[in-house]
Each structure stands twice: as C-alpha cells, then as structure tokens.
Amino acid sequence: MSTAMNFGSKAFKPRAPDKGSFPLDHLGECKGFKEKFMKCLRDNNHDNSLCRLQSKDYLECRMDNQLMAKEPMEKLGFRDLVDAPPGQADKDAEP
C-alpha cells in the first residue's frame, strides 16, 4: 500500500517542446507583427506567398523574444529574403 502513495521517487524531468510546438505570446510581444501578417492574408485572399515578408518579420520577432527556437531564416524557407553576408554581394557583382 505504501508504494501507491510514493510520488516522491519519480522526479519530474522537463524537456524541450517538440519541433513546431512553441509557447503562446501571452504578453503580446509580437502581436503587431501577427496582425500585419493576418491583414496581409485577408487582403490577398489568403495567398500566403504574397505575405512572406510579413511572415518572416513575425517569425523573427518570435525568435527574438524566445517564443520559439532560433533558426536560420534560410532553413525556414526565406533564403531569398535574407540579406547577403558582407562581402558576398561584392563577389556576386564581379564579372
């Protein structure tokens, strides 16, 4: 009987959330970015390809405020919207 009430033997071990799972923005730190993205979707008949810049800005805000794990924007599908590293633009301009 004493084993049924022995809750102290198993310690809770926190773990990171699964990929794609992240905290809600309870403090509204990225609310403005979210609203701009949602307005863009409404204005463009929910064609998210026309709202990629707003989506990128929203994800950057979430990463900057620790609301999701930091990931390179290239890995999130925004390679074409990321500024070239310093010196890279010069290499591209050479004949």
Side-chain angles (χ1 to χ4, degrees), residues 15-79:
R15 65 179 183 87
D18 295 332
K19 187 123 175 121
S21 165
F22 43 82
L24 296 176
D25 186 7
H26 292 290
L27 300 177
E29 296 168 284
C30 298
K31 185 175 181 178
F33 291 101
K34 180 190 79 166
E35 293 301 323
K36 286 178 187 175
F37 175 63
M38 297 304 292
K39 181 181 182 326
C40 180
L41 287 175
R42 284 189 301 273
D43 292 348
N44 290 291
N45 200 28
H46 298 279
D47 183 352
N48 64 350
S49 67
L50 299 175
C51 302
R52 293 183 69 244
L53 184 59
Q54 291 84 354
S55 176
K56 176 182 168 285
D57 290 344
Y58 176 59
L59 292 173
E60 286 177 329
C61 178
R62 290 192 61 86
M63 287 187 279
D64 291 345
N65 288 287
Q66 290 79 45
L67 294 169
M68 65 182 284
K70 286 242 182 218
E71 296 277 351
M73 294 312 290
E74 296 87 354
K75 190 173 178 183
L76 296 175
F78 297 100
R79 182 176 309 246

